[in-house]
Amino acid sequence: QLYVVESGGGLVQPGGSMRLSCTTVAQSFATHTLYWYRQAPGQQREWIATITSGNTPSYAGAFLGRFTITRDNAKNTLYLQMTDLKPEDATMYYCYDNEGYWGRGTQVTVSS
């Protein structure tokens, strides 16, 4: 059983939108700080956004205004709404729980 599972990736056209999801079985999910990262092959993981247990979001500058991080505590789910997607956004996306758990990622492909 996976502790953290990402979903929602796939193919999207440049300029399009996509929503990624991350579900967990974490105890006391509502108290956890949650994160989205992405990582291309051979590269370091790149921080995208964070949302605190108090529902306060923060973003890396490259994603501010295009990506939105939200959470639904009733569903134990973290979301990343991505808009105006660009070819450089095409890579693996991961969620992270502040208890120390990573998902296995979901692939986003941006292509016409």
Side-chain angles (χ1 to χ4, degrees):
Q1 182 179 15
L2 294 176
Y3 188 77
V4 178
V5 180
E6 301 95 338
S7 62
L11 176 64
V12 63
Q13 296 183 50
S17 299
M18 178 175 284
R19 188 177 74 165
L20 306 181
S21 299
C22 176
T23 61
T24 83
V25 294
Q27 293 182 327
S28 301
F29 175 85
T31 71
H32 294 187
T33 296
L34 303 167
Y35 306 78
W36 282 104
Y37 290 82
R38 70 185 189 186
Q39 186 174 25
Q43 302 296 315
Q44 294 287 331
R45 272 196 291 264
E46 180 181 17
W47 174 64
I48 298 169
T50 301
I51 189 163
T52 69
S53 61
N55 210 33
T56 300
S58 57
Y59 300 89
F63 309 103
L64 187 65
R66 289 200 301 127
F67 290 13
T68 303
I69 187 171
T70 57
R71 64 194 298 162
D72 185 339
N73 291 335
K75 297 181 178 180
N76 275 22
T77 300
L78 172 71
Y79 299 100
L80 184 68
Q81 179 66 46
M82 305 183 293
T83 63
D84 191 26
L85 285 162
K86 309 175 188 302
E88 66 184 28
D89 296 321
T91 188
M92 290 289 293
Y93 286 73
Y94 300 87
C95 64
Y96 175 74
D97 183 286
N98 74 337
E99 292 292 311
Y101 295 97
W102 291 92
R104 294 182 180 180
T106 186
Q107 178 73 52
V108 173
T109 301
V110 185
S111 177
S112 59

